[in-house]
Amino acid sequence: MTGLRERKKAQTRHRITEAALRLFAERGFDAVTMTEIAAAADVSRASLFGYFPTKESLVVQDVGDDDLAAVVRDRPAGQDPVAALRGHYRVVAAEAPTGAEIEGLLARIRVIVDNPKLGAAAHTLRHRQRAALTAALAPAYGERAAELVAGQIAAAALTIQEAYFRRLADGVAPGEAARALAADVELAFDLLARGTRALTDTDAPVPGDGPIRGGA
């Protein structure tokens, strides 16, 4: 029963999101009310607010939701933090959407880009994610270096994501865009691994040693 209940909740959440994005695309984010979204999704206002406490959360629900700090904290003993994060982003790339959900993803990105309030909300969520990552990296790199490394990781991740979304928006086939995303992950973490080499206490080779993949 628990599995069925969770599936129904996921379906309702998806239906609400689809209805909201459709209305936002038609009329603009600011012109749509939560009451109208509830009606379009065929749910009560109370149910809608149970899933999404604010209108902004309908759009930025997935921004900064990767628990990168937990990836670092829970890594195997002796593993470099950057190597653990590389593994995480490899999984993200392998699970990149290739089906009907791509249109919804692009619709959400367009709404965020077109609305400064949503852009600011997304920035705040990413800032919180980066702050948590900084704290998790501090035992390995020291507080100041951890802040700089977290900033580099956040910038690399955002750049990779933007390149992936841009390819999809330009009509690149989903499978090809996913393969390019995976290649970008390897290149980015090759560069990050080299940058953090001097901060580690081990003489073990840094993952990604050798020619940088994707380089000239």
Side-chain angles (χ1 to χ4, degrees):
M1 289 296 293
T2 301
L4 177 60
R5 185 161 53 247
E6 290 304 315
R7 284 197 298 273
K8 286 185 176 179
K9 288 176 64 176
Q11 290 168 355
T12 301
R13 186 181 183 89
H14 179 70
R15 187 171 74 251
I16 292 170
T17 300
E18 279 195 328
L21 290 175
R22 183 174 64 252
L23 291 173
F24 296 154
E26 292 172 354
R27 296 166 48 198
F29 178 81
D30 291 329
V32 178
T33 68
M34 291 291 269
T35 298
E36 291 170 329
I37 293 169
D42 195 25
V43 298
S44 68
R45 274 178 55 89
S47 292
L48 173 58
F49 281 103
Y51 284 95
F52 299 100
T54 66
K55 189 166 65 166
E56 288 78 10
S57 65
L58 279 156
V59 183
V60 299
Q61 55 186 286
D62 297 325
V63 175
D65 65 342
D66 277 0
D67 194 347
L68 302 182
V71 172
V72 172
R73 288 194 303 268
D74 299 341
R75 72 190 189 279
Q79 185 182 42
D80 181 77
V82 170
L85 290 164
R86 182 198 291 263
H88 170 76
Y89 279 104
R90 279 175 172 166
V91 173
V92 171
E95 296 177 350
T98 58
E101 64 269 34
I102 286 177
E103 186 51 44
L105 175 64
L106 292 177
R108 184 177 302 165
I109 297 300
R110 285 191 288 268
V111 173
I112 293 174
V113 169
D114 290 343
N115 190 287
K117 184 189 302 183
L118 292 174
H123 176 77
T124 297
L125 292 171
R126 286 192 291 264
H127 182 271
R128 291 175 184 169
Q129 181 189 49
R130 188 170 71 248
L133 178 59
T134 296
L137 291 171
Y141 298 140
E143 291 185 5
R144 184 63 186 131
E147 184 176 8
L148 294 171
V149 172
Q152 291 170 347
I153 291 168
L158 182 59
T159 300
I160 289 169
Q161 291 168 358
E162 288 176 343
Y164 171 66
F165 296 145
R166 185 169 60 250
R167 292 183 187 109
L168 291 175
D170 288 344
V172 174
E176 183 179 345
R179 287 189 291 274
L181 173 63
D184 284 349
V185 166
E186 297 304 328
L187 175 58
F189 279 91
D190 280 351
L191 296 170
L192 288 165
R194 283 165 171 75
T196 56
R197 181 197 301 273
L199 301 175
T200 60
D201 295 329
T202 178
D203 293 327
V206 175
D209 269 352
I212 296 177
R213 282 161 282 190

